[in-house]
Amino acid sequence: MDIHSPGRGPRMTPAWGLAIYLGVGAAWVVLGDLAIEHWLQGSTQLSHWHALKGWLFVLLSGLFAWWLLLRMRRAERLRGALALEMAQIARHAPAGIARVDARSLRLLWANERLCQWLALDAREAQGRPFHELIVAPDGPFAAGQLESLLAGRIDHYQGERLCVRADGGMPLPVLCNVSHVPAIDGAPDYLVCVVQDMSEIGAARAALAHSQHVLSLALEGSGSGLWDWDLAQHRATYSPGLLRLLRRHEPERRTMGPSMLLARVHSGDRERLQRAVEHAISSGAPFDEKVLLKRFDGSYCWFHARGQRHLDAHGQPERFSGILTDLSDRREAEERQRLAATVVDNTVEGVVVTDAQARILSVNAAVTRVLGYTEDELLGRTPRVFKSNRHDKAFYDAMWDSMARTGHWKGEIWNRRKSGEVFPERMSLSAVHDAQGEVTHYVCIFTDITEEKAQREKLEFLAHCDPLTGLANRQWFGRQLEDVLRQAKLAGEQFAVLLLNLDRFKNVNDSYGHAVGDEVLKHIVQQVRGALRPDDLIGRLAGDEIAVVVRHLGHAGGAAAVARNLIDAVARPWCSPEGITVTVGVSVGICMYPEHADTPLLLLQGAHAAVYGAKERGRGVYCFFSAEMTHGARERLELEARLRTALAQGHMRLYYQPQVEIATGRIVGAEALVRWLDPERGLIAPGQFIAVAEISGLIATLGEWVLHEACRQAQRWRSAGLPELRIAVNVAPRQFQLHDVAECAALALAASGLPAHLLELELTESALAEQPEQTRRTLQRLHELGVHIAVDDFGTGYSSLAHLKRFPIDVLKIDRSFLRDVPDSADDSAISAAVIAMGHSLGLQVLAEGVETPGQLAFLQERGCDLYQGYLCSPPVPADDFARLLRARSAQAGHGQPLQAGAGAHSPLP
């Protein structure tokens, strides 16, 4: 029996061996005796021959037994070697092997590899149900296969299963092969299960499928197409990519004749290509040709065709296949490569290429421009020539550690030019690897960031400091104040926040220009710094606001003393080289910590409120914060919010006060006066909200609405047939700063249809004094439109006759304060008479405001005043009431009745 041939059993059983031995022995005795008696009959040596025959049989039997024992010993050795070999195989096999009871299906024995997969040792695995350890996805199917195996209908079966780990780890996909070992010599039958790890096979399958998919995508994405000619069937198959290269737009028919490609070859190349194809098919030489093909859209393009013949089993040409590549991509790539080289040579970034030993191989023009070296001076050297010595060994160790881990490093570094100048650069260093992963080159790209770094520092400065004065800006000052407050809380310190608001600093800019204003401001900052201690803080919060934190105060008197010193310091005049002298005053608001406020926001708010208190006291003084200031500020904010709502919801109304011609008593105009009809508080007079509107900037929106509404109302009166009159609208000084008054008036006139000569804009003397040039230009545009200009409250401001001569003014309005005691007060009478005479001398109409008595009207009539308005005629009334008053006056004049001065004073109109 050959032990290395599994399945081949012994040729002879022990019973047959015994029978043969007995048969041979019997035949030896019988035949031997017959032979002796036949040949030696009558011989005296017959007994000797019988003895010799017996001894010869014993010898032959002994030799046969000796041969059998040798065979048995050899067989035992071979069986032992085989058992050892099988044990080694079972122990070290890459597969799991198990012996399972054929009836109970419990594990009898498992090799080491299977125990590892099950996360069990051999003793723990023994006796466990095999189907719970190696789980079949389809239990009934596996049970049917086992039944067929035990019944002898199949000799083995296999299937994919899951090997469940006892430690709860991820199950292992395996291929399980089960065979049946029948019972032998009383030993029970059992199952042999061989389990093979399928994870690598599954990964290999996935990788193979992925590779095939990637190969297909690569072929499609490479711009190449595949052809395959069946030479026996005279058919050709073309890939979709090849048909796309030939721009075939009709439904694809991938199986066509080989002549499809040959027919599209340019006539000048067709014969040459035909010979090349025949030669490749007959000789087996590679087919490699460049050919000009006509595409289906009629255009020609150069292609690269490469192919190879394939032989059948009989050595005859069977197929001819290959790929077709559009050469336009290659030409474009070559052009891109040339362009890339041009870009590298002309880019502003420096590009340095070194070998693996960091020896410089090439540099672009930017490197020589930035570093000052020529290319010949750098080739063959290492980048150490640029080393600035500003970085320590740890810096370079970290750089090369990043290169070793990621193959890339990016950051800022200081390098040195040929001149010795050290400069900052932003550098990107990358390693280039070959197919084996070895570094072959290093590519360094850097940019000189000297200007960028300077700009960054400038932006950092601007983020924290005021660019003009160098003081901390509002945001940075707030952070510094937070730090001071934190320290003060820990140390129990008392300090003060002082807010310095420059008085009339805007007049400096308007009078001398912003350049002089900037110099004055820097002079003031220098004076303020000189008056402070080193621990005090200073910052610029706005154009004319400087904040100061005075630390380590024992009492409020110390803050007051500092405020006095600052007022004196700011008052020191600034003198220009040209001899201009400018003196600016300052108002100081003081808020104490912790007496007045205990947060940075409240401290600054308190100082702001105190500044307004100082200005109300006459400017050039200091004022401490009080709770009433905050209350007033909150009321102003509340009123501002309500005013915004009123403007949005249409709660504003216009009232109209007649303007009467003194000579005739006719109503020739009306002044539009705004009122606020609040749903909760009723009618609110302008004196309560106009100031808030000016401070908040709402005066622009409010003034625009008043102007449009007044023009619309005047036009409605005209359309209703009422006498034509001029409508007067007040313009606040703040409106000139916030929007274009002339443009707004033009739009209002255009929208309403009111003629421009029926609109009169009234402005105060202070509006003429502030930004006089800008105001003069605006008034000149209004004059060119035909709009009348009136100066309201004349005599109460600071205007001069020079102002009146420069501006296109039509009407002077005498302030009511000068008429209150006329004609009883000689001073008021003289002033009023002088204003009337001066207005007439300048060619202006004069209108008197606040006329309430017949005596005042008589005085004005005697002095030749042109117009008046006041309660003597009528208080301001709504539009409908004003229309009734105007109709009544017109009817009175139509009946020839004299117009009485106070005809409307006691009318029932509200």
Side-chain angles (χ1 to χ4, degrees):
M1 181 183 73
D2 186 358
I3 62 173
H4 296 285
S5 299
R8 180 182 296 176
R11 297 175 181 174
M12 185 179 298
T13 64
W16 275 103
L18 178 61
I20 292 172
Y21 177 77
L22 292 175
V24 171
W28 177 271
V29 171
V30 174
L31 291 178
D33 288 344
L34 291 176
I36 291 171
E37 290 177 359
H38 177 72
W39 295 107
L40 298 176
Q41 185 175 11
S43 175
T44 58
Q45 301 294 325
L46 184 62
S47 61
H48 295 286
W49 284 104
H50 279 289
L52 180 62
K53 181 193 68 162
W55 284 110
L56 182 60
F57 180 76
V58 171
L59 177 61
L60 291 176
S61 298
L63 290 174
F64 181 67
W66 175 73
W67 177 77
L68 287 178
L69 290 173
L70 287 178
R71 293 272 296 178
M72 290 176 60
R73 183 177 182 184
R74 181 183 175 193
E76 288 296 330
R77 289 178 178 175
L78 289 176
R79 280 195 295 272
L82 180 60
L84 179 61
E85 180 181 353
M86 295 303 295
Q88 292 294 330
I89 290 174
R91 181 178 181 184
H92 301 292
I97 303 174
R99 187 183 300 119
V100 180
D101 186 270
R103 306 306 168 193
S104 66
L105 299 182
R106 292 188 176 274
L107 196 65
L108 301 175
W109 170 86
N111 72 340
E112 184 177 346
R113 180 58 56 95
L114 183 58
C115 290
Q116 289 177 355
W117 292 347
L118 295 172
L120 296 169
D121 58 31
R123 289 189 301 273
E124 291 175 333
Q126 189 172 0
R128 292 203 177 194
F130 184 74
H131 64 278
E132 294 180 0
L133 302 176
I134 307 298
V135 181
D138 189 352
F141 178 73
Q145 286 185 310
L146 178 61
E147 182 181 352
S148 298
L149 179 66
L150 295 176
R153 291 191 293 272
I154 57 175
D155 59 352
H156 77 283
Y157 69 89
Q158 65 180 13
E160 294 186 6
R161 302 188 179 185
L162 289 178
C163 179
V164 180
R165 295 180 58 86
D167 58 3
M170 183 67 67
L172 181 70
V174 296
L175 180 66
C176 183
N177 191 306
V178 183
S179 58
H180 180 224
V181 178
I184 300 176
D185 295 334
D189 62 339
Y190 59 89
L191 302 176
V192 175
C193 302
V194 179
V195 181
Q196 184 179 356
D197 184 358
M198 290 289 291
S199 58
E200 294 184 359
I201 296 176
R205 289 176 181 172
L208 179 59
H210 178 71
S211 298
Q212 291 175 342
H213 180 65
V214 170
L215 181 59
S216 175
L217 292 178
L219 181 61
E220 293 295 326
S222 65
S224 299
L226 176 69
W227 88 79
D228 185 23
W229 293 351
D230 188 333
L231 300 177
Q233 300 294 329
H234 298 286
R235 292 186 307 175
T237 302
Y238 303 101
S239 70
L242 184 142
L243 297 176
R244 282 196 296 272
L245 289 178
L246 295 177
R247 296 185 180 176
R248 184 183 180 96
H249 300 298
E250 62 188 67
E252 294 184 356
R253 195 163 56 99
R254 297 175 57 184
T255 302
M256 292 174 272
S259 60
M260 188 276 287
L261 273 181
L262 295 175
R264 311 206 71 79
V265 178
H266 190 271
S267 57
D269 293 336
R270 190 171 299 154
E271 185 177 351
R272 174 184 61 82
L273 189 69
Q274 183 69 42
R275 290 196 304 269
V277 170
E278 292 174 354
H279 175 72
I281 294 175
S282 61
S283 66
F287 175 74
D288 193 330
E289 294 290 335
K290 293 180 181 177
V291 60
L292 186 62
L293 292 179
K294 183 180 182 180
R295 294 181 287 202
F296 283 92
D297 62 358
S299 62
Y300 281 90
C301 181
W302 282 98
F303 289 89
H304 188 191
R306 288 167 291 179
Q308 183 72 48
R309 76 166 187 187
H310 307 279
L311 303 177
D312 60 13
H314 306 290
Q316 296 300 316
E318 179 185 27
R319 291 171 38 248
F320 183 61
S321 61
I323 61 173
L324 192 71
T325 304
D326 188 348
L327 288 181
S328 57
D329 289 342
R330 182 181 301 176
R331 292 183 177 182
E332 290 177 4
E334 292 173 354
E335 178 63 20
R336 286 196 298 269
Q337 186 175 1
R338 185 191 64 79
L339 181 61
T342 303
V343 169
V344 169
D345 288 339
N346 295 278
T347 184
V348 295
E349 288 84 8
V351 180
V352 180
V353 180
T354 74
D355 60 14
Q357 287 71 42
R359 291 187 295 267
I360 296 175
L361 300 179
S362 67
V363 297
N364 68 343
V367 174
T368 61
R369 184 176 62 253
V370 173
L371 297 176
Y373 292 94
T374 64
E375 185 174 3
D376 292 337
E377 290 175 321
L378 294 176
L379 295 181
R381 303 178 71 178
T382 67
R384 294 188 187 92
V385 68
F386 315 138
K387 193 172 182 180
S388 66
N389 295 322
R390 284 202 178 187
H391 302 288
D392 56 12
K393 182 177 181 296
F395 176 84
Y396 293 104
D397 288 345
M399 176 193 297
W400 289 109
D401 178 65
S402 174
M403 289 296 297
R405 287 185 293 102
T406 66
H408 186 76
W409 181 86
K410 184 177 182 180
E412 292 186 7
I413 189 172
W414 290 86
N415 273 334
R416 188 182 303 275
R417 307 185 206 271
K418 183 180 179 180
S419 63
E421 177 191 355
V422 175
F423 71 101
E425 66 183 28
R426 182 179 294 108
M427 189 177 81
S428 175
L429 181 62
S430 301
V432 180
H433 299 83
D434 60 13
Q436 289 72 39
E438 298 295 328
V439 175
T440 60
H441 298 83
Y442 292 104
V443 178
C444 172
I445 302 176
F446 68 88
T447 305
D448 184 352
I449 58 171
T450 303
E451 294 183 2
E452 180 183 332
K453 208 168 186 66
Q455 184 68 16
R456 192 187 307 165
E457 292 174 355
K458 182 178 180 181
L459 291 175
E460 185 72 17
F461 172 80
L462 293 177
H464 296 91
C465 301
D466 172 58
L468 176 63
T469 62
L471 299 180
N473 59 19
R474 176 182 290 274
Q475 183 180 9
W476 185 240
F477 182 81
R479 293 182 183 178
Q480 291 178 313
L481 181 55
E482 289 177 357
D483 293 338
V484 170
L485 185 61
R486 193 177 302 111
Q487 297 170 15
K489 286 181 178 179
L490 294 175
E493 174 190 342
Q494 184 177 205
F495 66 88
V497 175
L498 281 65
L499 188 65
L500 284 66
N501 189 282
L502 304 181
D503 296 331
R504 303 186 188 278
F505 184 70
K506 184 176 178 297
N507 293 341
V508 176
N509 288 325
D510 293 341
S511 301
Y512 300 105
H514 287 279
V516 171
D518 291 345
E519 293 300 323
V520 172
L521 186 60
K522 288 191 283 187
H523 165 76
I524 291 172
V525 169
Q526 183 179 0
Q527 299 302 316
V528 171
R529 274 179 166 163
L532 296 175
R533 298 167 299 177
D535 289 344
D536 298 336
L537 301 180
I538 181 173
R540 185 184 182 192
L541 304 188
D544 57 357
E545 286 186 350
I546 299 173
V548 171
V549 176
V550 182
R551 304 188 61 181
H552 309 297
L553 294 175
H555 48 77
V562 172
R564 288 192 293 270
N565 291 337
L566 293 177
I567 293 172
D568 294 340
V570 172
R572 297 189 184 100
W574 171 83
C575 299
S576 72
E578 294 79 14
I580 300 176
T581 301
V582 178
T583 302
V584 178
V586 65
S587 300
V588 181
I590 306 173
C591 188
M592 299 291 298
Y593 171 84
E595 180 181 349
H596 297 146
D598 58 358
T599 68
L601 179 61
L602 293 177
L603 285 166
L604 288 173
Q605 287 179 347
H608 269 285
V611 161
Y612 288 117
K615 288 186 177 293
E616 290 175 357
R617 297 182 183 183
R619 305 177 185 266
V621 297
Y622 65 87
C623 177
F624 280 94
F625 168 79
S626 64
E628 290 76 10
M629 295 177 179
T630 303
H631 180 70
R634 289 176 180 170
E635 286 186 344
R636 287 193 296 271
L637 289 175
E638 180 186 353
L639 186 61
E640 177 186 340
R642 290 175 48 231
L643 182 57
R644 290 182 186 275
T645 302
L647 286 170
Q649 298 181 356
H651 295 163
M652 309 310 293
R653 299 289 185 270
L654 284 186
Y655 277 41
Y656 301 89
Q657 187 172 38
Q659 293 180 340
V660 183
E661 189 176 49
I662 294 178
T664 63
R666 292 185 303 108
I667 297 177
V668 295
E671 181 177 4
L673 300 168
V674 65
R675 299 290 188 270
W676 178 1
L677 187 59
D678 187 80
E680 298 177 359
R681 303 185 183 183
L683 206 61
I684 300 177
Q688 300 181 37
F689 62 85
I690 290 297
V692 173
E694 289 185 342
I695 293 173
S696 64
L698 289 174
I699 193 67
T701 304
L702 179 61
E704 185 175 357
W705 177 84
V706 169
L707 188 56
H708 280 261
E709 180 61 24
C711 290
R712 284 193 293 267
Q713 184 59 60
Q715 182 62 21
R716 283 195 289 266
W717 286 334
R718 290 182 72 232
S719 301
L722 293 176
E724 203 170 69
L725 52 82
R726 192 162 60 208
I727 193 78
V729 177
N730 288 285
V731 180
R734 187 95 165 104
Q735 288 180 250
F736 284 88
Q737 302 170 12
L738 296 176
H739 68 174
D740 189 343
V741 175
E743 179 69 16
C744 184
L747 292 175
L749 291 170
S752 63
L754 184 72
H757 72 276
L758 296 182
L759 175 63
E760 179 178 281
L761 297 184
E762 297 183 1
L763 62 157
T764 61
E765 287 182 278
S766 58
L768 299 178
E770 293 183 11
Q771 298 181 334
E773 286 304 317
Q774 179 181 343
T775 303
R776 188 185 67 81
R777 288 192 295 269
T778 301
L779 295 183
Q780 188 63 42
R781 290 167 58 199
L782 289 168
H783 183 72
E784 292 170 358
L785 284 174
V787 176
H788 283 249
I789 307 298
V791 176
D792 196 12
D793 301 336
F794 184 77
T796 62
Y798 301 94
S799 63
S800 63
L801 292 178
H803 273 134
L804 297 180
K805 289 173 60 178
R806 292 177 58 208
F807 294 105
I809 298 171
D810 301 293
V811 179
L812 283 184
K813 297 185 71 173
I814 305 174
D815 186 68
R816 68 182 66 243
S817 61
F818 296 123
L819 290 173
R820 185 176 299 114
D821 296 327
V822 170
D824 300 329
S825 171
D827 293 338
D828 288 346
S829 298
I831 292 174
S832 300
V835 171
I836 295 170
M838 180 181 65
H840 287 163
S841 66
L842 294 175
L844 307 177
Q845 280 190 315
V846 180
L847 184 147
E849 294 182 295
V851 177
E852 298 179 356
T853 65
Q856 293 171 341
L857 179 60
F859 171 82
L860 295 173
Q861 192 170 15
E862 291 174 3
R863 299 301 186 275
C865 186
D866 303 292
L867 307 166
Y868 83 92
Q869 70 181 75
Y871 276 50
L872 181 63
C873 176
S874 171
V877 294
D880 292 342
D881 294 343
F882 185 88
R884 287 196 292 271
L885 174 63
L886 192 58
R887 287 191 183 96
R889 282 298 188 102
S890 299
Q892 187 178 3
H895 289 86
Q897 299 177 7
L899 296 175
Q900 299 299 323
H906 305 290
S907 68
L909 299 175

